[in-house]
Amino acid sequence: MAIRRLERLQRMLAQVGSAEPSPNLESLERRTGNREGPVLDTRRIGARRLEVEFALESLDVLRKEKEVDVDQGFALEAIVMPYYRPVVDVSENRMKTEQLTTKWDHLAADELRAQIEQCFLSVGRINVPGLPSLPYAGTGFLVGTDLLMTNRHVAEIFAQGLGIHQLDFRSGQSAMVDFYHENGRTQSERFDVDRVMMIHPYWDMALLKVRGVASLRKPLALSVIDPADLVEREVLVIGYPGYDPWGDAEFQRIQDRIFRSTYYVKRMQPGILRARQPVESFHRQVRAVTHDSSTLGGNSGSVVVLLPKPGENAGQEGLQVIGLHFAGEYLVANYAVPSSDMALDSRIVDAGVKFTGRVQAHERYRPIWREVDIPEVRNPPPAQLPSSAPLSTGPERASTTTITTAGWIVPIEISVTIGQPVPGATSTATVDVRPAPVEGVFASKPPIATSALPYPFSAASLAEADFDWRTALSLALASRLAYESPQAVRATAEDMWQLHKCQFIEANDTQCYVAETPQAILVSFRGTESVGDWLADLNVAGRVRPYGVVHRGFLGAFQAVEQQLLAVLEASPHQSLLLTGHSLGGALATVAAAEWQQRFNVRWIMTYGQPAVGKGGFEQFMQRYARNFFRFVNDDDVVTRVPPTYRHVGQLIHFDTAGNLPAGAETPVSHRAERMLTAAEFDRMRAALLQQRAQRRAVGMESLETPVVEGLLPSLSDHRMDAYITKIAAHISTVRAAVQGRS
């Protein structure tokens, strides 16, 4: 089990089980035994009991606040988590009560069960006939007369436009909704989507007009209650979880256990409503309501239904919708558009969406709608909701800041800004590093204010003889700059960073730049901007060199610019050389170090999120750089785990999810063994990416940088250069604060 997932699992179990009774042997056996189907082999029964007993022992270890090992983690994830957060089949619009765990038995009570099953009738699967290779686009549910609500990122698979005007289907595409597609049911009940009514410019929400929905399928009513007043209440997610192809073989086994190896069918997934959290969605930061049900890709567009308290009656309107599920981060949180916030948008109310209680729609969303309603305004900056209309009145608002930015701005993937505190704020600055967990992972590139970092680029740090975090940050910024245009690179390097003789070099698809200080020469290689496409096309072919086997593609990319680089570098042969790059750029920096080991005095090699480069004798050969090669890895960055059979070199500095580093050393080098993807895992990833690319091109989306399916490569978010810059900068701040505290 990956370290990251084990940590997440422990946190999630502590959360879901903190105020709930522990399962016992009988309750877990019920989950894994005969209720899942007939078990005729007594040896299997005995094996299951041993497995369940081990899971209970592991849970006891966790409850005593002790660390669990990998085997215990697997037992907890595959047996105990499904007890707290089960996945229940829907068959003939009835819940399979035998799949409920003892914790959720109360859902089978007659009155509540009838109300839940009434909701099943209103939830359907959105299919796109023009894309036969796509199983389905996502989930949707009725919210008005013949009116279906789903996610914007689901609708954009087959629709185009934004707002309520000039919306249409993509060329050659159509959509329909199937209100059945249940496990074991072959019949369907499909209705055509007549037109696209709304693609919301702020929330990940869309409205579709569906022709001729039967009267028994009643629209669900959206709650206007602030979700801050409903935290810790029970909820249900109803939708169509789909198979997640990512993760190692162990994850696939756990996924199959929880979902019983059946996907793409209607399911009910109970959980608990949690507090709002900020999350990136379509280039904006929104405050989504969260829940902890067990979801997968395909649940995009699912309804999040609020369950009544014990002894409480749901009322004549039935169960209320509290949110529209739009994304999930495994063992972390699921994100939903709050229904109460939708009630504040007069455009949504006027569209015919059904709400319970008094709707007080007003014009708080007017600045957002103005972006799409006024045709003469082209490409306006994303408007944010006015601070006078806060997204939440809950206690979490106390730590928000009024954001201001200053200084040089370059396009990068998230904002790092310093703010002035509002009254009652507990922090004077915020560094927001949470990307969208699913949709928007690839495409989001708002600016970064480098003046907000604890230290700016430091030309002097390039001359350091010993490892220095300012050097690491400066080379990270230099790696980021390589993605810019030649004009921006030269202007930044020479005018702002006070470097000299900056030259941008380009040949074929390889780009880099060279710049000088009096003591050193910096070479920064550009990585790939289309990581999904690059991974889809990556192969494992190698080429033999005198120092070992090196990846053929990386070597060829370096050789394309080598002669131009040599013409520049040999004009200043006595200066030390610094090599850096992010992603593919880091691989090229590594190849350069190998090729030039007898030609130049290489002072530092620092790379960020690089793939492995060599094998055979390459690892031993690169030991000559053991003291001055540092390779930074952010959490679970998938790019650092490819290609299979290749080995990494250099000293590893590995940030975990929270930005922590290995303790106990001044230079916190990690000595853990890294696990590369196996050939089978790599092939499965490439096949899935190639399929995704074919689907996107079928709807006019050329690049994998525009995701449409929830759950696509979540660990790619860890690869973004902004995450590396932010975590290095945060570490510098921590070190500086510690030094000041001791003085």
Side-chain angles (χ1 to χ4, degrees), residues 194-248:
D194 265 358
R195 64 190 180 99
V196 183
M197 298 286 291
M198 176 186 294
I199 296 181
H200 203 274
Y202 183 82
W203 291 109
D204 191 353
M205 186 275 282
L207 295 174
L208 311 174
K209 197 70 172 178
V210 183
R211 184 194 317 162
V213 177
S215 59
L216 79 157
R217 301 189 184 280
K218 302 182 184 301
L220 303 178
L222 277 64
S223 171
V224 299
I225 302 173
D226 190 325
D229 299 328
L230 301 171
V231 173
E232 303 300 322
R233 287 281 298 272
E234 292 181 347
V235 295
L236 287 180
V237 173
I238 305 169
Y240 294 82
Y243 179 74
D244 186 345
W246 310 111
D248 54 23

Side-chain angles (χ1 to χ4, degrees), residues 45-59:
I45 295 174
R48 285 187 177 184
R49 169 162 286 227
L50 289 174
E51 191 177 46
V52 169
E53 288 176 345
F54 181 66
L56 286 172
E57 292 171 3
S58 303
L59 184 61

Side-chain angles (χ1 to χ4, degrees), residues 519-551:
Q519 298 82 23
I521 300 179
L522 166 67
V523 179
S524 178
F525 292 91
R526 177 183 290 186
T528 176
E529 295 186 271
S530 180
V531 180
D533 285 317
W534 178 77
L535 284 171
D537 296 330
L538 184 64
N539 58 45
V540 297
R543 183 173 171 184
V544 177
R545 301 295 287 166
Y547 48 78
V549 177
V550 68
H551 188 275

Side-chain angles (χ1 to χ4, degrees), residues 115-439:
Q115 293 169 335
I116 293 171
E117 291 174 347
Q118 182 63 44
C119 294
F120 294 163
L121 291 165
S122 304
V123 181
R125 203 179 84 156
I126 299 174
N127 300 324
V128 185
L131 297 175
S133 62
L134 185 70
Y136 60 105
T139 302
F141 57 98
L142 293 170
V143 294
T145 303
D146 291 342
L147 193 63
L148 194 80
M149 179 176 285
T150 187
N151 291 142
R152 168 180 166 179
H153 77 265
V154 171
E156 287 182 342
I157 298 174
F158 53 86
Q160 58 188 358
L162 194 62
I164 57 178
H165 303 297
Q166 298 180 339
L167 301 176
D168 203 355
F169 291 97
R170 294 184 182 274
S171 178
Q173 298 303 326
S174 62
M176 59 178 57
V177 56
D178 183 352
F179 286 100
Y180 278 105
H181 212 92
E182 300 168 343
N183 189 12
R185 180 187 173 96
T186 56
Q187 298 90 350
S188 63
E189 186 176 355
R190 299 180 180 179
F191 299 88
D192 290 330
V193 175
D194 265 358
R195 64 190 180 99
V196 183
M197 298 286 291
M198 176 186 294
I199 296 181
H200 203 274
Y202 183 82
W203 291 109
D204 191 353
M205 186 275 282
L207 295 174
L208 311 174
K209 197 70 172 178
V210 183
R211 184 194 317 162
V213 177
S215 59
L216 79 157
R217 301 189 184 280
K218 302 182 184 301
L220 303 178
L222 277 64
S223 171
V224 299
I225 302 173
D226 190 325
D229 299 328
L230 301 171
V231 173
E232 303 300 322
R233 287 281 298 272
E234 292 181 347
V235 295
L236 287 180
V237 173
I238 305 169
Y240 294 82
Y243 179 74
D244 186 345
W246 310 111
D248 54 23
E250 184 180 80
F251 171 78
Q252 301 305 329
R253 281 201 299 146
I254 291 169
Q255 179 178 227
D256 285 342
R257 289 283 293 269
I258 295 173
F259 288 84
R260 298 180 291 280
S261 299
T262 302
Y263 305 94
Y264 315 123
V265 296
K266 187 179 286 188
R267 252 56 186 271
M268 177 187 84
Q269 297 141 284
I272 300 296
L273 194 73
R274 303 295 181 185
R276 285 183 185 261
Q277 287 186 21
V279 64
E280 184 186 313
S281 179
F282 290 101
H283 309 288
R284 306 179 192 273
Q285 183 163 111
V286 303
R287 291 189 64 79
V289 66
T290 64
H291 65 91
D292 60 16
S293 302
S294 297
T295 63
L296 284 178
N299 272 121
S300 287
S302 293
V303 61
V304 185
V305 176
L306 181 69
L307 293 173
K309 295 178 181 178
E312 182 181 72
N313 192 303
Q316 293 183 344
E317 296 285 355
L319 300 180
Q320 299 181 33
V321 176
I322 197 64
L324 164 68
H325 175 89
F326 67 86
E329 199 167 3
Y330 181 57
L331 291 177
V332 176
N334 297 301
Y335 304 90
V337 179
S339 60
S340 61
D341 284 58
M342 289 190 276
L344 297 175
D345 190 338
S346 59
R347 303 289 185 101
I348 297 176
V349 175
D350 293 344
V353 174
K354 181 180 180 181
F355 290 92
T356 62
R358 184 180 178 184
V359 177
Q360 295 180 327
H362 53 70
E363 297 306 313
R364 70 176 287 195
Y365 288 92
R366 179 178 290 179
I368 305 296
W369 281 102
R370 188 176 294 122
E371 295 179 10
V372 295
D373 282 348
I374 303 177
E376 61 269 21
V377 178
R378 298 183 178 181
N379 300 321
Q384 300 299 324
L385 292 181
S387 58
S388 58
L391 289 175
S392 172
T393 57
E396 70 274 15
R397 292 291 299 175
S399 61
T400 60
T401 61
T402 302
I403 301 299
T404 61
T405 60
W408 171 62
I409 306 289
V410 295
I412 199 171
E413 298 161 355
I414 68 167
S415 295
V416 181
T417 53
I418 297 295
Q420 296 299 320
V422 297
T426 58
S427 172
T428 59
T430 180
V431 179
D432 181 17
V433 297
R434 177 169 291 278
V438 180
E439 84 287 356

